[in-house]
Amino acid sequence: MNADQFFEIVDGWQLKITKFDPEQLIHYGSNLLCGNGYLGYRGTLPEWGKEEYQACIVSDTYDMADGKWRELSNAPNGLATELLLADQSLDFSPVKNLNTNLSFNYQYGIFKRNSKLKNVINRSSADKLEVESERFASYSNLHLIANKYQLNNLNQDKLLKIRLGIEGDVWDLNGEHLTNLKNDYETEQAVLYLQGTTVESKIDLVTAMSFNFKQGLVKNMRIISRAKSIYLELTIQPENNSCKFERNMVVYSSNDLTDPLAAAIKTAVQAREKEYKQLLIEHQQCWDVKWAVMDIKIKGNLLDQLAIRFNLYHNIIATPAHSEYLPIGARGLSCQAYQGSAFWDQEIFNLPMFLFTKPEIAKNILKYRYHTLDGARKKAQDLGFAGAFYAWISGKTGQELCPDFFFKDMISGRKIRNHFNDWQIHVSPDIGYTIWKYYQVTDDLDFIFNYGAEMLFEIARFIHSRVHYNDRQDYYELIRLLGPDEYHENIDNNVFTNYQSQFVLKKAIYFYHLLLNKYPEELARIKSSIELTETEITAWQRIAEKFYLPEPNQANLLEQFDGYFELEDTTAEVIKKRLINNQEYWGWPNGIAVFTQVIKQADVIQLFTLHDIFNQDILAANYDYYEPRTQHGSSLSPSQYGIIAARIGRSELAYQYFKKSAFIDLMSTNKAVSGGTFIGGIHTAAAGGIWQLIINGFSGFKLTKSGLEFNPALVEEWEELEYKLNYRSAILQINLTPAKLKIKLLDMQTEKPVEIKVKVLAREYILEPDSQLQIKL
Amino acid sequence: MNADQFFEIVDGWQLKITKFDPEQLIHYGSNLLCGNGYLGYRGTLPEWGKEEYQACIVSDTYDMADGKWRELSNAPNGLATELLLADQSLDFSPVKNLNTNLSFNYQYGIFKRNSKLKNVINRSSADKLEVESERFASYSNLHLIANKYQLNNLNQDKLLKIRLGIEGDVWDLNGEHLTNLKNDYETEQAVLYLQGTTVESKIDLVTAMSFNFKQGLVKNMRIISRAKSIYLELTIQPENNSCKFERNMVVYSSNDLTDPLAAAIKTAVQAREKEYKQLLIEHQQCWDVKWAVMDIKIKGNLLDQLAIRFNLYHNIIATPAHSEYLPIGARGLSCQAYQGSAFWDQEIFNLPMFLFTKPEIAKNILKYRYHTLDGARKKAQDLGFAGAFYAWISGKTGQELCPDFFFKDMISGRKIRNHFNDWQIHVSPDIGYTIWKYYQVTDDLDFIFNYGAEMLFEIARFIHSRVHYNDRQDYYELIRLLGPDEYHENIDNNVFTNYQSQFVLKKAIYFYHLLLNKYPEELARIKSSIELTETEITAWQRIAEKFYLPEPNQANLLEQFDGYFELEDTTAEVIKKRLINNQEYWGWPNGIAVFTQVIKQADVIQLFTLHDIFNQDILAANYDYYEPRTQHGSSLSPSQYGIIAARIGRSELAYQYFKKSAFIDLMSTNKAVSGGTFIGGIHTAAAGGIWQLIINGFSGFKLTKSGLEFNPALVEEWEELEYKLNYRSAILQINLTPAKLKIKLLDMQTEKPVEIKVKVLAREYILEPDSQLQIKL
């Protein structure tokens, strides 16, 4: 598949779409998303509505409208636009070769469009009505979407009416969330608004809109108030055959503050006063700060450079960095799919990039898990366990949002009881693992005292209650699991889950003793607060010591779970022919992959990317074994295979996985609808995975006990790779070429400068402030 | 449903079928089965073939012809008959109101038929050709089926030809078993034979046939040898318009002796010499000995009396009492369904009747389990466990005959992985339980030394390897089970399985200590032979002490398994409407019962019939709870509900269950085909269950630690119940009327007479030799 089928490269930050394809509507909406971690406005034309998947997803607005799925709500669309020429509506319906160009700037998240309307002939047949518009979701004011809109080649003789509105009838996945709609035009402030209340959670959600004409005269204005929308119809006198206006869409919810309507109106007024240009400058400054540490630069392939930025951009805007109470959605804020909720993806895929660039964001993400501990405790208790069993699908409160039944048997139509919510337990140790990583990178003991230790203890408690002791084998084991490979449910001793669980038990014990020896008051406080007993610690110790950790067999292979090797040995291509219905789920209970060795995604390989405890031979043997058996039915998979490919020196294979992963959304290789369920939107975990594949894969970066390690495996295609790492308050700049690795200590944000140990290709170096390492490869 | 739709009662032993119904063909074949534990000859006319489900199932002939099911083979039909009148074949095709009467004598297993052929008009239109035949499967020579055949009202003018043959083309369920067919007419011995070899197991199976004309002259004879059969075509000169002959079908296999052909010919010759009348006398003597202790007599309802005998008869002929190496098939020898193999039914349903009447048969059945220990050991090992995990479907060797996939999803057609063979573990403790019961009844220490202890130890070993210790709950539990209720797979702590398992662990420990203290050499021998260690015994002790045995809750209810009460609470009638296809399996993984409290059969109730450890209130509460939620989708279920109904004083309900259970086959209330699979044939477990329902239910008999106990709950309908019990070599005769219970010690087959303690309605009595108790009720 070729990129230029989908877009043209403008430069390393920008793309444009000149061959509009209505088949790609869902993907345009997500790929060209304006977002800022508070809201996400899909890449749709202002003239479009719900049929074109218009939506503005707002964080922290969880609501259940269909009795099954609790998801984020969509704000009424404050950029709704209708154009009438001589009282005839102009048609922007998405058709093949709609004369519209789209472009997007991933440096600042700016969506632009340029449309030429074929059927609206002006003075000469050559001239066509041109519509230009541009917008961004502001990072300096998260509630704001600023918009510029311009019409050119207007026929002075024809009556132009522009309807600027707020449309409440938006694209909802699982039911309409807003009721009790209220709208008005605040004439004093000249602000239009539409407010609604979510059906179940009773959150007030407001969209306000202000505008300002920069060219063209408003000759008349009337209000059109419909059941679910409000529009201002403006009769316009063009100036020099053009008209131009600026518009501000402002979104607030009652979860942000007590009077969201007042705040929205106020912000809309202020934004109008500030004007688009200034708003953009302030917004760009925010981005410049981010990119200063988060950008990854490569030389040698502009398409790859653009794709990298696309992925970094999407991981950033998916993340509610402004809050410590909100999760990163598996589809970010690109649509309502996956409930705007956190999965294990959040810690294992989205977070590492922040951890090593802006650790305060990683901290916020982990604090979100702290604030949802009660949800995790309740889930554990409901299922008969102790401690914290984190939700498989975690929204605001951490209560389990994953229903018992969600897939359906496509042949019988009967619902399927999938066990994502009760058997896929690795999410808890995954969070524990990440707490440890955060601590390793930041040395942030305060976090451990106030959040980390309690979470780890509760996770250890959960593991304690979840393991079983096998008396005859004399080990503790984990029975009835669902590992990262979701095609095999009800399995025992999933290598990934077992290693992760034992690791986390050990870390819980480690912190217990650290606190006991050095910070006994902190420990006493935590112990008393969660009623932790010595007996429990003894049990954790006993379990950690006797945890069943499957070892590589004679062929160096780790068996993904007990009995995996005895399953039918085949490939995804072969079994695909067994599908009765193309939309069938491949897994539990009777899908085509269940009784075979075909796996959905990296599982043993996933273990390797997290734990550097196996030698190269083992890595290679398992890579060679599992790779052909992996369907990559999950977008999480390719980046992890890529990392391990790079680690075993197969950078060209790693590069193939880079392509596969980086372009999942950009080239729309993913299915947007499966089993009748919308699963489109941005694969934020894949976006985070790209960061890992480059940093941990191509530059071979590892965090070790003693410091940092690099084993570069740069792909030939790339002449240079440059990025920054934040490690214990120091910023390092890494430059990698095929010949050389340069590591520069840029900045030291801590009082007492620490010595940073760096190991490159097995040799050790010490990095000192303002020093630079140059290592020939 | 009314019995006389199906048959007429002749007396308490015999029925006749005067309204022949071709829809009932499968049921006639099973219900009117001649059998003797070695073979079973279905109730078909001699003129019928495979289309009419003719088959003669032979024990110990396991063979796999379809690559999936290892089942018993059918012997070539040595009673095959064709009649030609004026060179025209006479048609006996089963049609509505075929002018044929069938009758069966359950006292001696005699099948009789009388047919009048409509279309063969003789001298006057009133006279019709009459065919009479009769047969039995001999108990004095297990290889023999003796047959009498007579034609009346023959037209002297028309040429009569009778073809007596051996037909190798028989009704096979899962593939043709016999290859390399060889046939001949041994002119010297005047014996016809057909021999074949089973495809997979290479067993030679021979049918020989001898005959002798008693009336009518054989004028001519020619041999018709076809690919799969051999016939003698006899041209007959009737005498007095009649002809009459005797015929002997003899079956031997190479598993019986080395030269089955020679043996078959010899037996055929001997039988011909002895003649039918004498053969019958010898056969009847064998039955008289059985009935002397096994019969159950009732007064008050002749239909019930007949039904009781029907069930006793079928349990007896299903049982290979002659061997200690063969199982009781779940359908006996009535057809090939269920592989002629033992399930847990064998010990829990078939065996008790023998245990309390002819314990040497019970012993043989248990010795079969001893001889299949290696199969059970292998199964355990293959699945990663220790000790003896008995096969769910156990044939000759005890290797697991239950395939991983057998049901199919009726909607998608896709195979289903049912877990009968790996999760339904209770079969092992069920066998252990029965060893204990055998010992309790017989005091047979020799059996314990030579068979029982080793089996119990290996079962305990298996349980040890199968339990898991729950560290946090501080108990041992059983995870991932399938209990007697087969609609709920993958469950934890099935009450039935947990109690049975703990019970058996305790008994293993008991025998270990008994042997250790009193018979150390015996123990030493066993220990050394199975490498049993002290550590294991300590572990069993620890596990038995901390075994999780769910207790009745506040409402006195035992939860069938963890979480059962949280399932949808509904009934079989309600969920039946959710069927998409009538042949769907209701259980795993996605059947209509899976997520509901609807259960297939007695499960908690089954626990009660085996363990008398709960009080009446608990029995009643659980009966009331589970009864309406039970579908009775298994023929094992009604008898167990009946026993408990009687035990809680609801003898009228017990009687309803008696009717339900006793007439399952007799009134053909069962489905013969389900999910495209033939599951017809005699429900031998239900037959055994009838004995239990009467003895343990209506007469309220229990075996207790101290002796025998009776708490009668006779149903009003019955005026008197009489049966015998064999207890520690004494024969007791029990007479029960509504007013009185008489217990008479008939016979004492032991040298040192034991005192027998009897408890009736909470009062204790001592029964001494030749004494009789008469207790007013």
Side-chain angles (χ1 to χ4, degrees), chain A residues 414 468 477 480 492 584, chain B residues 414 468 477 480 492 584:
Chain A
R414 201 167 272 162
H468 276 101
E477 57 181 333
R480 198 181 280 135
D492 299 342
E584 268 183 78
Chain B
R414 199 167 273 162
H468 277 100
E477 57 181 333
R480 198 182 278 133
D492 299 342
E584 267 183 80

Side-chain angles (χ1 to χ4, degrees), chain A residues 4-76:
Chain A
D4 52 23
Q5 281 180 253
F6 297 92
F7 56 84
E8 290 169 32
I9 308 166
V10 177
D11 58 32
W13 288 106
Q14 298 182 83
L15 59 74
K16 62 180 179 187
I17 292 160
T18 53
K19 291 172 204 149
F20 179 84
D21 178 3
E23 298 288 310
Q24 294 293 327
L25 221 52
I26 279 183
H27 296 115
Y28 294 154
S30 304
N31 290 348
L32 313 180
L33 183 79
C34 295
N36 55 23
Y38 172 81
L39 55 74
Y41 191 101
R42 288 174 55 82
T44 50
L45 300 189
E47 301 82 15
W48 287 350
K50 60 191 283 191
E51 279 71 32
E52 291 84 16
Y53 311 108
Q54 189 284 324
C56 175
I57 298 91
V58 186
S59 60
D60 200 6
T61 57
Y62 294 97
D63 181 60
M64 193 193 287
D66 68 344
K68 182 175 178 191
W69 292 107
R70 189 165 281 118
E71 62 188 2
L72 291 177
S73 305
N74 287 323

Side-chain angles (χ1 to χ4, degrees), chain A residues 369-641:
Chain A
R369 293 295 193 179
Y370 180 81
H371 297 306
T372 53
L373 254 180
D374 277 346
R377 286 188 185 109
K378 183 174 184 313
K379 173 173 170 180
Q381 205 177 9
D382 288 350
L383 293 170
F385 302 111
F389 184 1
Y390 278 95
W392 185 246
I393 306 186
S394 182
K396 177 79 174 287
T397 62
Q399 76 172 103
E400 182 58 85
L401 298 187
C402 180
D404 286 352
F405 296 87
F406 52 96
F407 285 132
K408 69 176 180 185
D409 182 317
M410 293 305 292
I411 300 137
S412 68
R414 201 167 272 162
K415 61 190 183 173
I416 293 175
R417 172 64 168 104
N418 279 88
H419 292 278
F420 289 52
N421 61 7
D422 54 349
W423 297 350
Q424 193 152 191
I425 67 164
H426 65 82
V427 55
S428 273
D430 294 342
I431 292 167
Y433 169 92
T434 306
I435 292 168
W436 173 256
K437 286 287 148 182
Y438 173 79
Y439 173 71
Q440 241 190 330
V441 172
T442 62
D443 224 0
D444 182 355
L445 260 177
D446 269 351
F447 175 79
I448 297 299
F449 295 160
N450 296 312
Y451 309 99
E454 183 175 340
M455 282 195 271
L456 272 169
F457 294 160
E458 290 287 31
I459 293 167
R461 257 185 179 165
F462 166 64
I463 295 167
H464 179 192
S465 70
R466 186 56 168 75
V467 294
H468 276 101
Y469 178 64
N470 188 319
D471 196 281
R472 207 172 162 92
Q473 303 284 0
D474 190 25
Y475 58 52
Y476 287 86
E477 57 181 333
L478 284 167
I479 304 290
R480 198 181 280 135
L481 300 174
L482 176 53
D485 159 33
E486 290 170 339
Y487 288 163
H488 296 92
E489 299 195 26
N490 198 25
I491 55 157
D492 299 342
N493 297 314
N494 169 244
V495 185
F496 178 84
T497 309
N498 280 30
Y499 274 86
Q500 280 284 78
S501 300
Q502 194 251 11
F503 181 85
V504 166
L505 272 183
K506 286 197 304 188
K507 295 313 170 195
I509 297 163
Y510 170 86
F511 280 118
Y512 183 86
H513 290 296
L514 179 75
L515 269 60
L516 186 66
N517 295 329
K518 295 198 179 168
Y519 313 96
E521 295 92 36
E522 297 291 349
L523 182 65
R525 181 182 50 76
I526 299 168
K527 277 182 75 173
S528 129
S529 134
I530 64 170
E531 294 174 14
L532 186 67
T533 67
E534 291 296 323
T535 327
E536 290 185 274
I537 315 303
T538 318
W540 300 351
Q541 199 103 40
R542 184 173 64 238
I543 296 166
E545 275 161 23
K546 294 203 165 178
F547 215 108
Y548 174 46
L549 298 177
E551 297 279 328
N553 66 13
Q554 286 174 324
N556 270 337
L557 296 179
L558 280 159
E559 189 170 31
Q560 188 177 299
F561 52 81
D562 292 353
Y564 169 83
F565 289 142
E566 284 150 43
L567 296 175
E568 182 191 350
D569 193 8
T570 180
T571 65
E573 288 65 45
V574 171
I575 63 169
K576 204 173 174 180
K577 294 173 195 139
R578 301 177 189 168
L579 284 174
I580 296 169
N581 177 314
N582 266 328
Q583 297 204 335
E584 268 183 78
Y585 183 59
W586 286 34
W588 177 270
N590 216 16
I592 54 168
V594 172
F595 306 109
T596 77
Q597 290 187 34
V598 174
I599 61 176
K600 184 179 174 193
Q601 66 192 88
D603 196 307
V604 170
I605 295 301
Q606 182 77 57
L607 172 70
F608 296 161
T609 66
L610 302 189
H611 295 274
D612 187 30
I613 50 178
F614 299 101
N615 67 34
Q616 294 284 100
D617 290 346
I618 293 171
L619 261 53
N622 283 280
Y623 182 93
D624 288 338
Y625 190 86
Y626 286 105
E627 203 269 349
R629 290 165 179 84
T630 306
Q631 184 221 4
H632 301 297
S634 161
S635 63
L636 311 190
S637 194
S639 62
Q640 306 304 301
Y641 270 96

Side-chain angles (χ1 to χ4, degrees), chain A residues 80-128:
Chain A
T81 310
E82 293 174 23
L83 300 179
L84 293 97
L85 215 51
D87 278 328
Q88 267 205 311
S89 261
L90 298 188
D91 185 7
F92 291 86
S93 301
V95 290
K96 188 86 184 161
N97 295 321
L98 174 76
N99 209 350
T100 285
N101 291 342
L102 305 173
S103 76
F104 205 89
N105 175 330
Y106 289 101
Q107 190 171 12
Y108 300 120
I110 302 167
F111 172 91
K112 282 190 192 174
R113 63 77 73 88
N114 178 299
S115 307
K116 292 197 174 76
L117 260 70
K118 289 181 202 167
N119 301 322
V120 186
I121 308 302
N122 284 281
R123 264 163 268 162
S124 79
S125 64
D127 285 354
K128 290 174 180 171

Side-chain angles (χ1 to χ4, degrees), chain A residues 36-289:
Chain A
N36 55 23
Y38 172 81
L39 55 74
Y41 191 101
R42 288 174 55 82
T44 50
L45 300 189
E47 301 82 15
W48 287 350
K50 60 191 283 191
E51 279 71 32
E52 291 84 16
Y53 311 108
Q54 189 284 324
C56 175
I57 298 91
V58 186
S59 60
D60 200 6
T61 57
Y62 294 97
D63 181 60
M64 193 193 287
D66 68 344
K68 182 175 178 191
W69 292 107
R70 189 165 281 118
E71 62 188 2
L72 291 177
S73 305
N74 287 323
N77 179 17
L79 303 186
T81 310
E82 293 174 23
L83 300 179
L84 293 97
L85 215 51
D87 278 328
Q88 267 205 311
S89 261
L90 298 188
D91 185 7
F92 291 86
S93 301
V95 290
K96 188 86 184 161
N97 295 321
L98 174 76
N99 209 350
T100 285
N101 291 342
L102 305 173
S103 76
F104 205 89
N105 175 330
Y106 289 101
Q107 190 171 12
Y108 300 120
I110 302 167
F111 172 91
K112 282 190 192 174
R113 63 77 73 88
N114 178 299
S115 307
K116 292 197 174 76
L117 260 70
K118 289 181 202 167
N119 301 322
V120 186
I121 308 302
N122 284 281
R123 264 163 268 162
S124 79
S125 64
D127 285 354
K128 290 174 180 171
L129 175 64
E130 187 185 49
V131 185
E132 283 185 341
S133 61
E134 143 179 352
R135 67 168 166 262
F136 62 89
S138 170
Y139 254 106
S140 62
N141 186 332
L142 301 178
H143 303 272
L144 172 69
I145 298 162
N147 168 231
K148 275 200 317 189
Y149 196 102
Q150 181 162 359
L151 294 166
N152 299 322
N153 297 337
L154 280 166
N155 187 337
Q156 299 287 123
D157 307 333
K158 287 197 176 156
L159 184 66
L160 172 68
K161 287 180 182 167
I162 304 179
R163 289 182 185 157
L164 301 182
I166 306 179
E167 179 59 59
D169 193 16
V170 295
W171 174 50
D172 274 317
L173 272 188
N174 300 297
E176 279 185 37
H177 293 282
L178 296 186
T179 53
N180 299 326
L181 294 180
K182 207 174 78 179
N183 65 49
D184 203 356
Y185 180 57
E186 279 279 334
T187 45
E188 208 167 311
Q189 316 272 16
V191 172
L192 199 68
Y193 74 85
L194 180 74
Q195 173 174 340
T197 306
T198 58
V199 232
E200 177 223 24
S201 53
K202 309 294 176 202
I203 300 165
D204 293 329
L205 187 57
V206 185
T207 296
M209 189 272 283
S210 62
F211 64 96
N212 186 25
F213 268 75
K214 310 284 280 185
Q215 191 174 351
L217 300 169
V218 178
K219 297 199 301 180
N220 207 342
M221 183 169 93
R222 70 176 183 111
I223 294 170
I224 307 172
S225 180
R226 298 172 187 154
K228 295 181 180 177
S229 63
I230 181 164
Y231 284 82
L232 291 179
E233 185 180 273
L234 310 170
T235 309
I236 301 296
Q237 172 68 51
E239 290 178 299
N240 302 325
N241 298 320
S242 287
C243 97
K244 198 192 278 185
F245 63 88
E246 293 177 6
R247 176 167 45 174
N248 305 289
M249 168 176 170
V250 178
V251 178
Y252 272 93
S253 87
S254 54
N255 276 350
D256 302 327
L257 33 70
T258 43
D259 191 348
L261 178 58
I265 291 171
K266 192 175 160 194
T267 304
V269 170
Q270 285 170 341
R272 182 174 53 209
E273 282 165 9
K274 218 172 233 181
E275 297 202 346
Y276 187 86
K277 199 177 160 187
Q278 179 57 26
L279 293 171
L280 181 59
I281 289 169
E282 291 172 12
H283 167 68
Q284 285 173 322
Q285 283 167 349
C286 297
W287 270 111
D288 288 339
V289 172

